[in-house]
Amino acid sequence: MYGLHVARGDRTLLDDISFAIPRGAIVGLLGPSGCGKTTLLRSVVGIQSYAAGHVQVLGRPAGAPALATRVGYVTQAPSVYADLTVLENLRYFSAALGLRGWRREHAVVRVVKEVDLADWADQPVGRLSGGQYSRVSLAVALLGSPELLVMDEPTVGLDPLIRQELWAVFRRLADEGTTLLVSSHVMDEADRCDRLLLMRDGRLLASCARTELLAHTGCANVESAFMRLVRPDRGATAAGATVGPASTSVPGPAGAPEPGPADGSPPEAADAAPEGGPATGAASSDAVPAPATPLFDGAVLPDPHASFFASECRGR
């Protein structure tokens, strides 16, 4: 995704969103409710119109007909029929995907086993628990053996045990080569992800591995790191964790050296700090939040996939 801009009337929903993610990884899209996560996921799936930017999925434009069976999408709202049984739902949706005969039955049996619904296969979905209901939606998304699985807050409202079981399914899928893009507003779910996309107010604050985020901010957990990015004027900043200004240039071609000092340290941000700004560690409990600053600028924290993405967008 590069330079994505989505607006509804005079309201900006997504503002200049750019990122790239590797295959076979669990990528967590984290941020508060209303920050634009669902709009971003709809853009990836190809059902969201946008004013500017480029979205490429598995080497094709988002929403291309060839991606119909290669991308699975689990929406926030239930996407299955409550008055049908689990098997009836799966047979119906597999037929909608064009599966027939033994291929359809094979796909149905496979996904029932993958999400552990065999004991409830003949039960109407409306009689299932919330966690089982979510598993049925996940099973439908897995019918086409998707290479990319996009899930919009699939674990919201579930008890911790069910959440743990679902994340075990997600990890197994990733280990088998599926790429997962999972949105959530529960920050502790970041610990289960390989890479993170942090959002706030329609802007992307970070695109990096969890360990890189914690090292960069000097925080012990993702929630604290998120607050550090949103409100850098609160709390002491760890040595070497100063966040530089956002880059507005297109990432360079593959193999190009990253800008910034040779030792990999962040650029000096003294010139960017407003005169008379708060000193490090001199936070006030009622301080006005500072503007969020992205964490994927190559001069601050290089994104190893940025060069590949730029090359792909240029049609190399």
Side-chain angles (χ1 to χ4, degrees):
M1 184 175 293
Y2 182 75
L4 189 71
H5 183 85
V6 178
R8 182 176 299 149
D10 295 333
R11 182 187 174 196
T12 297
L13 302 182
L14 296 179
D15 184 16
D16 193 22
I17 302 293
S18 298
F19 67 88
I21 59 177
R23 293 185 185 232
I26 299 179
V27 181
L29 176 61
L30 304 175
S33 298
C35 71
K37 298 190 300 295
T38 297
T39 302
L40 188 149
L41 295 184
R42 286 171 54 86
S43 301
V44 172
V45 176
I47 58 175
Q48 174 68 53
S49 60
Y50 46 89
H54 175 85
V55 185
Q56 180 174 289
V57 179
L58 302 174
R60 297 179 180 270
L67 297 175
T69 58
R70 300 178 66 192
V71 177
Y73 183 33
V74 180
T75 61
Q76 272 186 301
S79 56
V80 292
Y81 296 101
D83 55 339
L84 299 182
T85 68
V86 173
L87 287 179
E88 289 170 341
N89 268 285
L90 294 175
R91 286 172 178 151
Y92 170 78
F93 284 106
S94 58
L97 287 173
L99 299 175
R100 297 290 185 272
W102 68 268
R103 289 184 176 85
R104 183 177 71 167
E105 293 305 312
H106 175 74
V108 169
V109 172
R110 173 178 56 81
V111 298
V112 165
K113 291 180 178 179
E114 284 182 342
V115 300
D116 194 19
L117 279 174
D119 292 339
W120 299 275
D122 295 319
Q123 293 292 319
V125 172
R127 297 181 184 176
L128 301 181
S129 67
Q132 294 163 347
Y133 211 121
S134 297
R135 287 171 185 259
V136 179
S137 294
L138 177 59
V140 169
L142 293 173
L143 281 169
S145 298
E147 298 171 55
L148 171 65
L149 184 58
V150 179
M151 295 179 285
D152 195 356
E153 300 193 345
T155 61
V156 170
L158 303 182
D159 65 68
L161 180 59
I162 298 298
R163 284 172 54 198
Q164 184 176 7
E165 292 175 353
L166 278 177
W167 275 101
V169 174
F170 300 162
R171 174 51 62 187
R172 185 175 70 251
L173 292 171
D175 291 342
E176 294 172 355
T178 304
T179 305
L180 289 84
L181 179 57
V182 187
S183 74
S184 177
H185 61 256
V186 182
M187 289 293 172
D188 62 8
E189 293 196 334
D191 293 331
R192 306 177 186 271
C193 301
D194 302 314
R195 289 183 63 82
L196 301 175
L197 301 172
L198 299 186
M199 286 192 68
R200 187 197 186 214
D201 296 335
R203 297 183 59 210
L204 197 62
L205 303 182
S207 171
C208 58
R210 174 182 173 275
T211 53
E212 293 172 328
L213 174 67
L214 298 182
H216 180 82
T217 58
C219 297
N221 56 66
V222 174
E223 183 173 0
S224 299
F226 178 83
M227 296 306 297
R228 176 64 55 81
L229 293 176
V230 172
R231 298 176 177 178
D233 55 335
R234 295 194 178 191
T237 302
T242 303
V243 180
S247 172
T248 57
S249 60
V250 178
E258 297 287 355
D263 61 359
S265 59
E268 294 184 5
D271 295 338
E275 184 175 353
T280 301
S284 172
S285 60
D286 58 352
V288 177
T293 306
L295 191 59
F296 42 75
D297 181 357
V300 178
L301 187 61
D303 184 335
H305 309 286
S307 296
F308 167 79
F309 171 77
S311 300
E312 289 295 296
C313 285
R314 291 166 180 160
R316 189 185 66 171

